[in-house]
Amino acid sequence: MAKAPIPQHVIELIKTYQKAQLELINTIAKYPQETTDTAYRKRVLASVNEELRVLNEYAAGWAEENIASAYKKGAADTYEKFRELNIEVGKVQINTRVLKNLVNNATGMLIDANNYVGRMINDEIRKVSLEVIAEKVATGSTVKEAQAKLVKRLSDNGVAHIVDKRGRSIRLESYAETVARTTTAEATNKGAINAVTDLGEDLVRMTWHNASCPICAPLEGRIYSISGDSKAYPPLSEALPDGRSTPHPNCRHRFVPYFTKYDDDAEKNKTFSNRPFEIGKQEQAKVDAYYKAQKEKAALNRVKKEWQTARLVAPTEAPKTLGAYTRLKSNNPEEFKKLREKVKTAKQ
């Protein structure tokens, strides 16, 4: 099964978060007109808080619309599978309690991340202000020095990032993408699985991709029993532990209804579903393809971080878009070298 493209609603969320991150960078990097560090601090804090307030409102509206849409699509697609086989079904049923929980979960994850970024920037501004106040007595430092300190600290640590439970620093836009992918996938799968159960069936099949992570490689393509009562197929809990509806965050695998009596290869698929849960040669090839794709994504993320740092510490010299930055890097090495030197000097 081919790799699924990024859904449009996820792309829109990513773009909104990318725009917000650039606004935060521009707010901090722009040379202040005020003559005191206190005025500068208040201006930056007000701008940052307003940007995050707008982002929170957008996140809540996005979750309300798109999580509900994903859940309904999962259920509707499942009903359609039944109808394609001439199995009589009624009106698509929506579990409003489950749907509300999914929406609240997605909203909470996005807003928590936004608030984390707000606290992080506020803390950095407060620390820099205290340092400048202490230095003023000895050096007569000004708001320009306060701005320079803040720019350097945020460019070193990353602008608009969060730190996950494993201590990893993740850009806000990347985290938002993970939340969007994960919560919409969970909603779609939950809608599909609930619909299968509502229609009196018990079996679902996990989709498969050309490239799969080590978690999904031994799980995909199998047929599972939702209830776990089947003696012919493994329980769905093998693929979805802890009551989740995706094997892991950012997973693109889906679950579709399966009917033994309509499958010409039923015995073959039954055997396939009951094989050991381990990574063999075929699965390893998919895992290798997955790691190759992840390596390419990591390289792109490093370029994004370079560009965002350049925008922060050298806003007048750095290209305004990531595309322009990558073109400069590839096509004009001399000018790119000058920009890198400017960034390096500004951070010292």
Side-chain angles (χ1 to χ4, degrees):
M1 185 169 290
K3 182 178 179 181
I6 301 177
Q8 187 60 38
H9 61 269
V10 176
I11 293 175
E12 291 302 319
L13 183 72
I14 295 169
K15 286 182 177 179
T16 299
Y17 271 72
Q18 287 174 334
K19 181 181 177 182
Q21 182 151 300
L22 283 177
E23 288 297 327
L24 293 174
I25 291 171
N26 291 334
T27 294
I28 295 165
K30 185 180 177 182
Y31 185 79
Q33 300 299 315
E34 292 83 358
T35 56
T36 68
D37 57 283
T38 300
Y40 169 62
R41 176 167 57 88
K42 288 182 177 179
R43 182 181 69 83
V44 172
L45 284 176
S47 297
V48 167
N49 289 336
E50 175 60 18
E51 188 65 37
L52 292 173
R53 183 192 66 78
V54 173
L55 199 55
N56 281 344
E57 289 185 358
Y58 177 85
W62 181 91
E64 186 72 36
E65 177 181 353
N66 291 288
I67 299 303
S69 177
Y71 183 91
K72 292 174 183 177
K73 185 178 188 308
D77 287 351
T78 298
Y79 275 60
E80 188 58 33
K81 292 290 184 183
F82 277 72
R83 295 188 182 105
E84 288 173 1
L85 296 171
N86 294 317
I87 301 174
E88 188 65 31
V89 295
K91 185 179 179 181
V92 176
Q93 300 296 311
I94 301 299
N95 189 318
T96 55
R97 180 183 60 80
V98 170
L99 180 55
K100 183 178 180 181
N101 288 338
L102 290 168
V103 170
N104 289 343
N105 181 54
T107 303
M109 292 174 72
L110 290 170
I111 290 179
D112 284 349
N114 299 343
N115 293 340
Y116 179 100
V117 168
R119 291 193 300 271
M120 181 270 294
I121 295 177
N122 285 346
D123 285 346
E124 293 296 346
I125 292 173
R126 180 181 57 81
K127 290 174 185 176
V128 166
S129 295
L130 291 175
E131 290 172 9
V132 169
I133 290 171
E135 290 175 1
K136 267 187 176 180
V137 177
T139 65
S141 61
T142 65
V143 64
K144 188 173 183 178
E145 280 71 33
Q147 182 195 29
K149 278 179 175 289
L150 182 60
V151 166
K152 183 178 186 304
R153 184 167 293 173
L154 290 173
S155 64
D156 288 341
N157 298 335
V159 182
H161 73 284
I162 71 165
V163 178
D164 69 5
K165 293 179 180 178
R166 294 166 59 184
R168 298 174 301 177
S169 178
I170 305 174
R171 294 193 324 278
L172 183 59
E173 66 187 73
S174 297
Y175 179 79
E177 178 181 356
T178 295
V179 171
R181 287 181 180 276
T182 301
T183 55
T184 53
E186 287 179 340
T188 300
N189 283 341
K190 182 66 76 173
I193 293 167
N194 284 356
V196 170
T197 301
D198 290 343
L199 294 171
E201 296 292 334
D202 186 49
L203 300 179
V204 290
R205 189 171 193 176
M206 185 174 173
T207 59
W208 60 95
H209 299 164
N210 292 329
S212 291
C213 72
I215 295 175
C216 290
L219 301 174
E220 64 179 8
R222 296 179 191 254
I223 299 153
Y224 296 94
S225 165
I226 298 172
S227 67
D229 294 335
S230 172
K231 291 182 172 60
Y233 300 97
L236 185 57
S237 58
E238 289 280 1
L240 302 176
D242 305 321
R244 300 195 303 260
S245 51
T246 57
H248 60 83
N250 224 11
C251 184
R252 294 183 178 183
H253 285 86
R254 300 293 180 267
F255 292 86
V256 297
Y258 175 80
F259 306 92
T260 305
K261 63 182 178 180
Y262 295 108
D263 185 1
D264 294 335
D265 295 318
E267 284 302 316
K268 179 182 177 180
N269 286 321
K270 179 181 175 182
T271 300
F272 178 83
S273 299
N274 286 286
R275 76 194 193 283
F277 284 90
E278 58 189 28
I279 296 179
K281 290 184 179 180
Q282 184 177 356
E283 289 82 9
Q284 188 60 53
K286 291 189 173 188
V287 171
D288 292 342
Y290 167 81
Y291 279 128
K292 181 181 178 182
Q294 290 298 105
K295 187 176 181 180
E296 293 171 353
K297 184 176 181 180
L300 177 59
N301 286 337
R302 285 194 294 273
V303 173
K304 282 185 178 181
K305 186 174 181 180
E306 285 179 13
W307 168 62
Q308 290 173 348
T309 298
R311 287 290 302 161
L312 181 62
V313 302
T316 57
E317 293 87 353
K320 294 182 179 180
T321 66
L322 177 61
Y325 181 83
T326 55
R327 287 191 294 273
L328 178 67
K329 187 174 184 177
S330 300
N331 303 329
N332 199 334
E334 288 300 319
E335 286 300 315
F336 183 73
K337 183 178 179 181
K338 292 179 183 178
L339 175 61
R340 292 301 299 271
E341 289 298 323
K342 174 75 174 179
V343 171
K344 184 178 179 181
T345 301
K347 291 180 63 178
Q348 289 177 346

